[in-house]
Amino acid sequence: MTLENLLRLHKGEELLRQKALNLITSDADLVLHINIVQQTMDMANMLRQFKTEDEDLKVIQIFGMRIFNAFAASIKLVMVGYSQNSALIMRDILETVFLLDMFSTDKSSISTWRLTEDSERNKKFGPPKVRIILDARDGFTQKRRAERYKAFSELASHPTMKSNYLLRHEPDGDAFIGPFIEHKMLKIMLTEMGSLACEASTNLDIFFPDTWNEVKLARENYSQSRNDWLQNFLH
């Protein structure tokens, strides 16, 4: 068995990683997106260190770990040129964030989610149901959550006619096999990632015990990155 082709592919990916780093460091917007993602991962890492016997809080800690790993994988993929695969993982983050958002204002639903049988859990807490609950809570009627979830599904998660869009250097160009880095695509991906990170960290922050002074600095750093991101991109 030879690994020559895989090693060549890895070498090419590392060259693309450096290209992505150069693009990020020269673009202030991309730096802000990366910063909020890093701070969100720090928040998730801090939350999982809190010692607790509260089974509901343990669920949130596991969600934080899932979000940490998903962002790590999604960044790794986008930085070496696999935008479609990175977006597939972002849909997982979006689904987790929606659940966190619901739990943040209805903490009693955590134990219900935790104790419900698998067959019933999907009926009560499946992605469509959670989106309906959140839209009703917020008074939203335009179903933007559903549209966002659908976009991730069509572009990355399912083989559809739109699933080749993230394989193109240009919107009207041909699909490309293998990894590639192009500034416009990188910006699209990191912009969405930054938005997801802002939502994830906002909801994770709600579950930090107010008496836990050890995380004060991490929360302050997160708050600054979040404010910087919101000032620049929330219009």
Side-chain angles (χ1 to χ4, degrees):
M1 181 179 71
T2 176
L3 299 178
E4 180 182 354
N5 287 337
L6 292 178
L7 291 173
R8 288 171 57 196
L9 179 60
H10 177 71
K11 183 177 180 180
E13 290 167 351
E14 290 303 299
L15 293 174
L16 290 174
R17 184 196 303 278
Q18 188 57 55
K19 180 179 178 180
L21 286 170
N22 292 340
L23 288 171
I24 290 170
T25 55
S26 63
D27 187 323
D29 286 352
L30 298 187
V31 171
L32 287 173
H33 294 316
I34 287 293
N35 281 343
I36 188 62
V37 171
Q38 289 185 98
Q39 293 300 334
T40 297
M41 293 172 71
D42 283 346
M43 290 282 285
N45 183 44
M46 289 299 297
L47 183 59
R48 62 99 185 167
Q49 297 177 54
F50 183 72
K51 302 298 183 182
T52 182
E53 298 303 319
D54 184 336
E55 295 299 323
D56 287 351
L57 183 55
K58 288 180 181 179
V59 168
I60 305 303
Q61 290 176 317
I62 292 295
F63 277 22
M65 296 178 200
R66 183 185 186 95
I67 286 170
F68 179 102
N69 290 344
F71 272 124
S74 190
I75 284 180
K76 185 178 181 68
L77 286 168
V78 81
M79 293 280 283
V80 296
Y82 296 108
S83 294
Q84 186 182 58
N85 306 87
S86 176
L88 189 155
I89 295 172
M90 281 193 244
R91 194 189 76 157
D92 184 274
I93 298 172
L94 181 67
E95 189 173 326
T96 307
V97 166
F98 283 165
L99 266 175
L100 272 177
D101 193 2
M102 184 182 71
F103 291 158
S104 72
T105 54
D106 183 10
K107 293 184 173 60
S108 65
S109 64
I110 303 174
S111 58
T112 305
W113 180 89
R114 177 168 57 83
L115 298 172
T116 299
E117 294 291 334
D118 290 347
S119 59
E120 289 298 312
R121 185 183 296 114
N122 192 53
K123 295 178 184 178
K124 295 180 178 179
F125 298 103
K129 184 65 174 179
V130 171
R131 294 195 298 269
I132 290 171
I133 292 171
L134 291 175
D135 285 348
R137 181 198 68 185
D138 297 333
F140 293 164
T141 60
Q142 296 179 317
K143 297 185 178 180
R144 291 180 178 174
R145 287 185 173 98
E147 290 175 2
R148 194 175 176 197
Y149 188 89
K150 180 181 178 182
F152 273 114
S153 297
E154 291 183 336
L155 290 170
S157 301
H158 304 308
T160 69
M161 289 303 297
K162 295 181 180 179
S163 62
N164 63 80
Y165 290 176
L166 297 182
L167 300 177
R168 299 175 180 177
H169 287 253
E170 297 293 337
D172 297 326
D174 293 330
F176 185 85
I177 191 171
F180 68 90
I181 292 293
E182 187 271 326
H183 184 257
K184 187 183 296 183
M185 178 66 74
L186 183 65
K187 194 153 194 168
I188 289 170
M189 298 299 295
L190 292 184
T191 297
E192 188 60 44
M193 203 178 295
S195 179
L196 282 171
C198 193
E199 295 172 68
S201 55
T202 297
N203 284 288
L204 285 173
D205 186 59
I206 292 170
F207 292 94
F208 275 79
D210 292 331
T211 57
W212 194 23
N213 294 324
E214 290 86 345
V215 298
K216 183 178 179 181
L217 180 59
R219 294 178 81 182
E220 288 176 351
N221 290 337
Y222 141 74
S223 181
Q224 183 60 58
S225 292
R226 179 178 180 274
N227 289 338
D228 290 344
W229 192 93
L230 290 173
Q231 288 174 10
N232 280 272
F233 305 114
L234 190 64
H235 302 295

